[in-house]
Amino acid sequence: MPEPLTLDTFRADLAEFLFLQPGEVDLEDSPLESGLDSLRIVTLLERWQAAGADIGFVDLAERTTFREWWHLLAGRRTGATRADT
């Protein structure tokens, strides 16, 4: 069973693909300018979908910062509540 999607796991996932520590992930950064290519984005997307996020590739592509990605993911998690965002 996948780990629940939280801001901490979101940062850890990004850090893994950006070769950073989770605390080094700047949510104001652009995913593409940070070095994520489409294959890595799809891999992250699949991980987040498995954790219960109801999103698609186009949803992420339309957003330009990691913070926007997190707001999207936080709002589309299975069982998400306002306190989780």
Side-chain angles (χ1 to χ4, degrees):
M1 181 173 194
E3 193 171 339
L5 187 57
T6 65
L7 182 55
D8 289 338
T9 58
F10 173 72
R11 280 182 179 271
D13 289 343
L14 291 173
E16 177 184 338
F17 285 82
L18 296 171
F19 305 103
L20 301 171
Q21 294 299 312
E24 296 175 313
V25 174
D26 185 346
L27 295 180
E28 298 307 320
D29 284 350
S30 161
L32 296 177
E33 290 178 12
S34 295
L36 289 181
D37 59 24
S38 59
L39 181 59
R40 289 186 175 127
I41 293 170
V42 168
T43 304
L44 285 166
L45 177 62
E46 290 171 347
R47 183 180 293 186
W48 296 331
Q49 288 171 333
D54 182 24
I55 60 168
F57 184 84
V58 173
D59 296 317
L60 294 179
E62 292 176 338
R63 285 147 180 89
T64 59
T65 66
F66 292 128
R67 183 174 308 284
E68 290 175 347
W69 280 17
W70 172 246
H71 286 292
L72 173 70
L73 289 164
R76 295 202 188 166
R77 289 177 293 166
T78 303
T81 63
R82 289 290 278 169
D84 294 332
T85 59

